[in-house]
Amino acid sequence: MSEPLLSITDLVMDYPTPDGVFRALDHVSFDVEAGTTMAVVGESGCGKSTLAKSIVRLLTPTSGRICIDGVDISRMSAKALRPYRSRIQMVFQDPYGSLDPHHTAVDIVGEPLRLRGIRSRRDRERRAAELIDQVGLPSTALRRKPAEFSGGQRQRIGIARALASEPELLVCDEATSALDVSVQAQVLDLLRYIKRQRPITYLFISHNLGVVREISDRVVVMRSGQLVEIGDTAAVLTDPAAQYTRELRNAALDPTTMVGIKPRHLVSRLQAATADAEIQGVPA
């Protein structure tokens, strides 16, 4: 069998606190095959973002392995890690805080191109303009700064910036959670479009099971820093093995209370229930 693109083995992350050590990741292990979308879900504070930041080496784990094509990057020096930075990119939760407010969109997207060795400003701007067009922004966006864009447009710039490095793995850390429902759908459609256009693998961090059902092939469920369940998304969300996953699903996928993008089958169920209630004269 071929080596998985990403392999996480016994990953541990400890944070010192005044009361002792807090273990944010507790021996987490899973693989991500090239070309797939793996989701990581769990309630707030379960370690999802710590996992994402460890994978892109914004954090150095306490122990364990993070392998890209079989090469462990978990302890690499900044210099040794440099070639891997372009292979693994991240789209952050806050589409405004992750962008330099003093730079224009073309400069933000062009910076990774400069780091890749494209020295000509004209060539960088041409390629940045192509990427900005690819994520669905008009040419008028090129010279505007982040404050002049909506949240969804800023997230598109963040995605274009990540794509400028031509990554093999794109880590999306709650990339749609700060957006309203209609813009969430647009960003998810964009990510699907990008995947059709180029070979790319997604690691999608989210607390929204509706979003996860829509976009992922497989899912990891986390609780208190530990992996509690892993499997094909449809199987895990339809018939979860772990009690915690069942509780998470029942709470998050109730179509009458769910916030954010609702899976199509739940929308249909809710519409049917509403129609039945109206026929019977019962308020929906």
Side-chain angles (χ1 to χ4, degrees):
M1 294 181 64
S2 60
E3 192 83 41
L5 175 62
L6 173 68
S7 183
I8 306 297
T9 307
D10 283 332
L11 200 64
V12 172
M13 175 62 75
D14 291 336
Y15 292 115
T17 73
D19 299 322
V21 173
F22 171 72
R23 178 151 291 184
L25 296 176
D26 189 1
H27 297 282
V28 173
S29 300
F30 62 89
D31 294 337
V32 182
E33 301 295 332
T36 64
T37 298
M38 174 73 85
V40 180
V41 301
E43 58 195 350
S44 296
C46 73
K48 302 187 303 294
S49 289
T50 296
L51 175 64
K53 291 173 183 175
S54 298
I55 290 170
V56 299
R57 279 298 309 277
L58 292 177
L59 296 173
T60 300
T62 304
S63 63
R65 292 165 56 87
I66 303 169
C67 294
I68 300 295
D69 282 338
V71 179
D72 186 7
I73 67 170
S74 63
R75 294 291 180 280
M76 278 188 176
S77 66
K79 182 178 180 180
L81 190 61
R82 195 169 297 142
Y84 291 89
R85 292 290 190 192
S86 62
R87 298 182 65 183
I88 313 168
Q89 288 291 301
M90 189 167 181
V91 179
F92 296 88
Q93 178 177 357
D94 181 359
Y96 185 68
S98 63
L99 304 178
D100 190 324
H102 305 294
H103 287 181
T104 62
V106 71
D107 288 334
I108 290 170
V109 178
E111 178 63 12
L113 300 172
R114 184 185 67 79
L115 295 174
R116 286 177 52 206
I118 301 178
R119 297 183 179 182
S120 166
R121 182 176 181 85
R122 178 177 294 181
D123 289 345
R124 291 199 304 270
E125 291 192 352
R126 176 185 56 79
R127 179 58 182 144
E130 291 173 354
L131 288 164
I132 288 171
D133 176 70
Q134 183 180 0
V135 299
L137 291 175
S139 58
T140 54
L142 296 176
R143 304 297 172 185
R144 290 156 58 191
K145 295 181 178 179
E148 301 175 66
F149 293 101
S150 67
Q153 290 172 326
R154 292 170 189 158
Q155 198 61 291
R156 289 172 184 266
I157 295 171
I159 293 170
R161 176 182 60 185
L163 294 177
S165 296
E166 298 188 356
E168 297 169 49
L169 175 65
L170 188 60
V171 179
C172 300
D173 184 17
E174 297 279 12
T176 63
S177 66
L179 309 175
D180 65 39
V181 174
S182 62
V183 180
Q184 279 187 26
Q186 292 170 15
V187 171
L188 290 177
D189 284 342
L190 172 60
L191 292 173
R192 282 189 284 253
Y193 167 77
I194 290 167
K195 195 170 183 181
R196 292 194 298 269
Q197 299 301 310
R198 60 172 71 196
I200 195 166
T201 303
Y202 291 140
L203 184 69
F204 200 89
I205 311 294
S206 182
H207 64 275
N208 188 327
L209 295 192
V211 169
V212 166
R213 182 185 286 272
E214 289 288 313
I215 198 170
S216 67
D217 304 305
R218 289 175 60 78
V219 61
V220 167
V221 182
M222 291 184 62
R223 182 182 191 184
S224 301
Q226 296 181 329
L227 189 155
V228 298
E229 188 163 358
I230 184 170
D232 292 343
T233 300
V236 170
L237 296 187
T238 301
D239 186 22
Q243 176 62 26
Y244 172 72
T245 308
R246 289 194 289 272
E247 294 171 357
L248 196 67
R249 182 199 62 177
N250 292 341
L253 295 186
D254 179 351
T256 63
T257 62
M258 183 176 166
V259 176
I261 294 178
K262 298 176 177 62
R264 293 185 181 92
H265 76 289
L266 289 180
V267 172
S268 299
R269 187 193 307 169
L270 181 58
Q271 290 172 341
T274 301
D276 290 343
E278 290 175 349
I279 291 173
Q280 297 171 18
V282 178

